[in-house]
């Protein structure tokens, strides 16, 4: 299991998503992912994100919105994950152990002098064993 260091700086596009909103607590987050995966059915070809707002103590388990999706029928909220500049750290490792690296890595990233606390941190699940952590920066 590893985290790529140092953080890369990148520009990301906004991403429209459907999501389940919960408190930023591990048990609630685990339930949110199970609920989201159950509602969307087949996971094949979908892009998944986690977004957390430290100020509001809120977490959103998200899936990228596609043209033929019907969020209302699925009982999901919709929104947009921010674009603009981010610092990225890539985590690699087998679940569930790799998930234990997310919070401490974000805590380290948040100490950057250029971090933007107004926008949520984002987890992009590239594969089951590769997660990009994206911290908004100014």
């Amino acid at each position: 299991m590893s985290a790529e260091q140092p953080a890369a700086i990148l520009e990301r596009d906004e991403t429209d998503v459907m999501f389940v909103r919960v408190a930023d607590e591990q048990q609630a987050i685990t339930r949110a992912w199970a609920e989201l995966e159950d509602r969307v059915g087949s996971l094949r070809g979908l892009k998944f994100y986690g977004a957390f707002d430290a100020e509001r103590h809120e977490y959103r388990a998200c899936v990228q919105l596609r043209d033929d999706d019907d969020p209302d029928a699925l009982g999901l909220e919709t929104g947009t994950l921010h674009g603009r500049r981010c610092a990225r750290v890539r985590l690699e490792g087998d679940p569930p152990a790799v998930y234990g690296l997310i919070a401490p890595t974000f805590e380290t990233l948040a100490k950057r002098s250029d971090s933007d606390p107004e926008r949520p941190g984002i987890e992009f699940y590239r594969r089951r064993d590769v997660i990009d952590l994206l911290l908004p920066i100014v």
Side-chain angles (χ1 to χ4, degrees):
M1 206 167 342
S2 66
E4 209 179 81
Q5 294 295 336
I9 305 302
L10 57 92
E11 293 280 337
R12 72 176 305 281
D13 294 329
E14 288 186 340
T15 306
D16 293 328
V17 294
M18 303 182 291
F19 62 90
V20 174
R21 180 193 318 255
V22 295
D24 188 13
E25 300 167 354
Q26 190 55 56
Q27 284 186 321
I29 291 168
T30 300
R31 278 193 319 272
W33 280 110
E35 183 178 332
L36 179 66
E37 291 174 4
D38 184 56
R39 290 184 185 190
V40 298
S42 173
L43 308 182
R44 185 175 210 98
L46 299 178
K47 293 183 179 180
F48 289 91
Y49 300 85
F52 72 94
D53 185 329
E55 296 291 315
R56 293 185 182 144
H57 305 286
E58 177 181 279
Y59 184 90
R60 290 176 281 160
C62 309
V63 61
Q64 186 170 12
L65 187 61
R66 299 174 301 177
D67 290 338
D68 60 342
D69 287 328
D70 187 350
D72 291 333
L74 296 172
L76 298 171
E77 294 182 64
T78 59
T80 302
L81 298 177
H82 65 78
R84 301 188 294 201
R85 287 171 40 102
C86 292
R88 182 200 73 198
V89 171
R90 180 164 290 161
L91 301 178
E92 297 183 17
D94 290 322
V98 70
Y99 303 147
L101 298 175
I102 293 172
T105 303
F106 263 126
E107 288 171 11
T108 300
L109 271 175
K111 294 176 184 174
R112 293 177 58 102
S113 62
D114 59 351
S115 69
D116 180 358
E118 298 296 315
R119 295 184 287 153
I122 297 173
E123 306 155 5
F124 172 40
Y125 292 84
R126 300 184 69 82
R127 294 191 322 242
R128 79 169 192 77
D129 61 348
V130 179
I131 306 166
D132 283 351
L133 304 184
L134 304 164
L135 179 80
I137 58 175
V138 291

